[in-house]
Amino acid sequence: MSRFDLDTALATWRRFLQNVRAIAPDDLDELETHIRDLVDDLVASGIPPDVAFRRATRQVGSFSGLHTDYQRVYWAKVRDEHRLLHELRLRLSMLKNYLLVGLRAMRKQIVYTAINVGGLAIGLVCCFYIFFYVQYESSYDQFYENTDRVVRIAEELKTSSELLYQATSAPPMGPAFVADYPEVEAMTRVSRGSRTFRYGDRLHEENQLFLVDSTFFEVMGYPLLQGDAATALTQPYSVVLTESVARKYFDGANPVGQTLIDDNNDAYTVTGVIPDVPPNTHFPYEVLLSMNTWIEEFGDSGNWWFWNGFYTYMLLREGNTAEDLQAKVPDYLTRYGITDEQNPDGMGYTALPLVPLTDIHLTSDRTWEIQANGNITYLYIFSLIAVFILLIACINFMNLATARSADRAKEVGLRKVVGAHRLQVAGQFQSEALLMTAVSMLLALVLAWMFMPAFNNLTGMDFAFGQLLSGTTLWLILGLVLIVGVLAGSYPAWVLSRFKPVTVLKGTFRRSRQGTRLRQGLVVFQFAISIMLMVGTAVVVQQLDFLQTRNLGFTEDQIAVIDFRYDGDVRQQEEAITAALAELPFVAGITRSTGVPGSRTGNSFTRVDMGTGEERGTNVNYTETDLNYIDVYDLEVIAGRGFSLDFSADTTQSVVVNEAMVQNMGWASPEDAVGQRLRRGDTERQIVGVVADYNYKSLHGTVEPLVLWPERIGGTYFSVRLRTDDLQRAMADLGAQWDTLVPHRSFEAFFLDTYFNRQYQAEERFATLFRTFAGLAILIACLGLFGLAAFTAEQRTKEIGVRKVLGARVGQILGLLSKEFAVLVGVAFLVAVPVVYLAMGEWLATFAYRTAMHPLAFLGAGLLALVVAGVTISFQALKAALRNPIDALRFD
């Protein structure tokens, strides 16, 4: 039985504190004397020496507690003795030593350093760009003074057969909230329009024009540069312009009090100028007209509870929340008798969601949005990709650092022999990781600056490199350096600091099987993410291609659309213009309408005679047309007939509906709808035909009920079907003819297929970014795989030499080195497939019309990952296989 020796125990205890520099030598002497006294007292009371020693050290305190208490006392002592500068100099010299050792290690292993630094730099660049994108998308409408107190009324409107989710609201809604609910301080209604204004010889089309109530500036809290916010929009025919629009007309002169003439010869007085609205808004206005202008022209619509032609914004009083007011909406609906239960035809509101202003862009996806909004899901996806890319880069560092552990083993052993403690060794390797991350960050900043124009081109945005150097982003950069450095370096530091000097210096050191398995697991994780991103990219591209090539139910090719924006003069001579354009030799047909596929359609409450004595009310989309519309767009008539010049009464008595209208109203077949009558306002017409459903709106939603309503005069578009191979020449000739017929209005035209597909710009941008970041993630994973393959080939140099001496061929050796990684890629494929299948299934579910996930997308991604990994590994494997076996056997 061994005897306890107090001197040996104290020496061990003291050596630990000396190694970690926890306590100064003089103070350690005093503390050791104190422990000896405690042990003597305990032994004198009959306690065995070993037990007495343990009790004494516990009484003094654990290392962490003792270190903390001592440091507090020590630094006070340093300040009292005026040794603060000396102590800081000593500690900085240790840090300098760490950095020098780290730089030497990086220079010695230049290939692995390049892989780690390059991978981390690419990962950090991706994080910067994704941060810009997410920050920008999340910043919409934050610039208003009252942004936190403004909500927009949305609608859930029930008809006899469907529930409509709309961003619009009825004219009386806002005023009723202000009158009855003290939580609402003010409201403003907004309605979109367009005008052509003339000032002298300057003529401009204003498409970002909105009618707003006089309280607009009170609600939004947006400043005026010139004019009075309280009165600028009170009078009819008052107009407020942004700076850029005012400059366009008045060239720096004071615009307030000047008069603009519109295309109907109405005079508008400029009453104010506002700053240009930032681009990160769901509501991009450039010209504001007073709502009283509309009331002056069309009358008050204060009692039209089911006409949803406005957007209503409300300013809540301080201390009130949207949730507080939302709880009172059921009472509001009942009070005004506008629920579906209170109306005999079953039409009414089931809810009025109050959407905070700052949530509209990312969370509101209703019909009749002012413009296409963003998608918060995309932000989550890109943020997740950023995390994945950083993890892959960190895994590269961890894998290569631990894989090359044998190269640093003797260094660790020697450091420990001369007195270094494990924490000091770990600190050395952690500092190397932080140094490498800092170098990567500097390289990342350079790359971010170089590729900023390309990123702006990809996103369609305008980010500036200077944003990286702003206060908030600088803290983000420093935080990333710290987080990535700690994350990448923590495991290698822990592994390398565990080496036992005796084992290492005797030459019996071996890599642990657990370490190998961990590296293999990390490679699987990297390639599982890469395969997920490849499959995701394939599905996104496939869905986008499906949206752009699906049969829409009409012929969109070679249709040129001329937009004359309700110009009054054009509308008065529509028939003459139509006849003149039709005479051009390359024109196969021409039609006029208030909407074209992909544009906004009108929407009106309609009463329909069901043919059984029953009348139903519903909200229906309308497109006003001439009699050529069905023929020019090549719509399929499945019941009754289309419009015809042979029936002169068609422009005043007939309509054609689509299949969705038939299903919506509950008719058994399209034939049952023919002959029924419908009433829109005070006008009643008969259904003479039914056309097959065609996608006149985006494929994000199903086809909605539609009525084609012929009118003799009116519209905003001429659709011209062309028959020519030289479309550019045809457009030039069309423009020349237009300038002759309509000299006062510029020729604005577009091709319908391009115009329709613009609805998928968000998906196109998403696909492009997804593809780019997926490619970079795969590149980083391959960098790590390249390094591991090089290391594996190096470690098996002698084995390869022996095999070659015994007759192994190059192909066999190549297969030997590649087999392990091929298995890992296969495991990654099995891990990735179920995860990405579920994730992409959820994304595809957001589309009413979607492609199926084809197995080839998954197999192709797995095969591509295998090929990429194989090519990456083959270079190193081939290099090792072709090496002279004599050199290999001499390798040490």
Side-chain angles (χ1 to χ4, degrees), residues 44-267:
S45 64
I47 296 175
D50 56 337
V51 176
F53 175 73
R54 288 194 295 272
R55 287 189 183 181
T57 52
R58 278 199 302 270
Q59 185 175 338
V60 169
S62 64
F63 167 70
S64 58
L66 181 63
H67 181 262
T68 301
D69 292 339
Y70 177 76
Q71 287 297 312
R72 190 181 303 113
V73 174
Y74 177 78
W75 283 105
K77 185 176 179 182
V78 167
R79 286 193 298 271
D80 292 342
E81 296 177 0
H82 305 290
R83 293 189 293 110
L84 185 60
L85 189 61
H86 171 76
E87 185 69 24
L88 291 175
R89 196 180 297 122
L90 177 64
R91 292 178 184 260
L92 285 173
S93 66
M94 287 298 298
L95 178 60
K96 178 183 176 183
N97 179 64
Y98 282 167
L99 293 177
L100 287 174
V101 172
L103 287 171
R104 291 191 191 108
M106 290 170 65
R107 188 169 60 249
K108 182 180 178 182
Q109 301 173 355
I110 190 66
V111 174
Y112 302 99
T113 299
I115 290 173
N116 280 328
V117 170
L120 279 175
I122 294 171
L124 290 169
V125 170
C126 292
C127 284
F128 290 156
Y129 287 158
I130 289 173
F131 170 76
F132 280 153
Y133 181 77
V134 171
Q135 184 185 51
Y136 180 82
E137 288 289 294
S138 303
S139 68
Y140 266 63
D141 299 306
Q142 298 280 359
F143 55 85
Y144 288 110
E145 181 182 338
N146 300 329
T147 187
D148 295 330
R149 293 194 289 138
V150 177
V151 297
R152 187 182 73 181
I153 302 174
E155 295 177 341
E156 293 179 12
L157 176 63
K158 184 178 182 297
T159 69
S160 59
S161 56
E162 61 182 335
L163 186 60
L164 305 174
Y165 296 88
Q166 301 181 148
T168 51
S169 53
M173 287 183 175
F177 267 110
V178 173
D180 294 353
Y181 295 91
E183 293 90 346
V184 181
E185 182 174 328
M187 72 86 211
T188 184
R189 294 164 298 185
V190 172
S191 180
R192 189 165 196 164
S194 66
R195 294 281 196 286
T196 298
F197 286 120
R198 183 176 69 255
Y199 180 77
D201 59 351
R202 300 183 183 185
L203 183 73
H204 298 287
E205 180 73 33
E206 302 301 341
N207 301 318
Q208 301 291 57
L209 178 147
F210 292 85
L211 289 150
V212 299
D213 281 305
S214 60
T215 52
F216 178 82
F217 298 110
E218 177 187 358
V219 172
M220 295 297 188
Y222 200 61
L224 266 77
L225 300 175
Q226 294 176 262
D228 183 355
T231 61
L233 294 169
T234 55
Q235 296 300 315
Y237 301 100
S238 298
V239 59
V240 172
L241 311 175
T242 59
E243 280 185 284
S244 58
V245 172
R247 196 178 305 115
K248 188 167 60 176
Y249 288 102
F250 306 108
D251 198 23
N254 183 8
V256 175
Q258 301 293 336
T259 300
L260 296 175
I261 308 299
D262 74 358
D263 44 11
N264 291 317
N265 290 319
D266 291 324

Side-chain angles (χ1 to χ4, degrees), residues 160-161 606 608 610 616-618 620 660-667:
S160 59
S161 56
T606 302
V608 182
M610 300 301 297
R616 289 187 186 175
T618 186
V620 180
M661 178 72 170
V662 174
Q663 295 166 3
N664 183 59
M665 300 312 300
W667 285 306

Side-chain angles (χ1 to χ4, degrees), residues 477-667:
I477 290 173
L478 293 174
L480 271 177
V481 170
L482 185 61
I483 292 170
V484 173
V486 171
L487 181 64
S490 56
Y491 180 72
W494 178 69
V495 169
L496 297 174
S497 64
R498 291 178 62 196
F499 294 159
K500 296 178 181 179
V502 174
T503 303
V504 172
L505 297 177
K506 279 183 177 180
T508 58
F509 170 77
R510 294 288 183 274
R511 292 176 188 80
S512 69
R513 183 172 299 175
Q514 292 86 351
T516 301
R517 287 175 178 171
L518 177 65
R519 287 195 297 278
Q520 291 174 340
L522 292 176
V523 170
V524 168
F525 177 75
Q526 284 182 309
F527 271 86
I529 292 175
S530 300
I531 291 169
M532 289 180 203
L533 292 175
M534 281 190 275
V535 174
T537 300
V539 173
V540 170
V541 172
Q542 189 179 354
Q543 174 64 10
L544 186 60
D545 182 66
F546 173 81
L547 293 175
Q548 295 177 334
T549 59
R550 184 180 185 272
N551 183 0
L552 300 173
F554 64 93
T555 305
E556 74 272 25
D557 296 337
Q558 292 208 336
I559 291 185
V561 179
I562 304 170
D563 185 357
F564 61 90
R565 303 184 186 278
Y566 294 98
D567 187 302
D569 291 340
V570 175
R571 296 174 76 179
Q572 291 303 317
Q573 51 180 324
E574 280 176 359
E575 293 184 0
I577 294 172
T578 300
L581 294 178
E583 290 177 359
L584 294 172
F586 51 81
V587 174
I590 183 169
T591 185
R592 169 195 46 77
S593 62
T594 56
V596 296
S599 71
R600 296 167 66 90
T601 57
N603 183 279
S604 294
F605 176 67
T606 302
R607 294 189 179 278
V608 182
D609 183 356
M610 300 301 297
T612 59
E614 177 191 1
E615 189 176 77
R616 289 187 186 175
T618 186
N619 254 38
V620 180
N621 294 328
Y622 279 84
T623 296
E624 296 176 359
T625 73
D626 64 13
L627 301 183
N628 299 323
Y629 187 86
I630 293 175
D631 292 335
V632 169
Y633 277 95
D634 197 19
L635 305 183
E636 180 186 0
V637 179
I638 59 174
R641 63 176 178 83
F643 303 126
S644 173
L645 295 173
D646 296 335
F647 296 88
S648 58
D650 273 358
T651 55
T652 57
Q653 298 178 14
S654 303
V655 295
V656 169
V657 300
N658 66 351
E659 283 182 280
M661 178 72 170
V662 174
Q663 295 166 3
N664 183 59
M665 300 312 300
W667 285 306

Side-chain angles (χ1 to χ4, degrees), residues 849-860:
Y849 302 93
R850 52 187 174 270
T851 185
M853 281 189 284
H854 202 282
L856 286 178
F858 296 86
L859 294 175

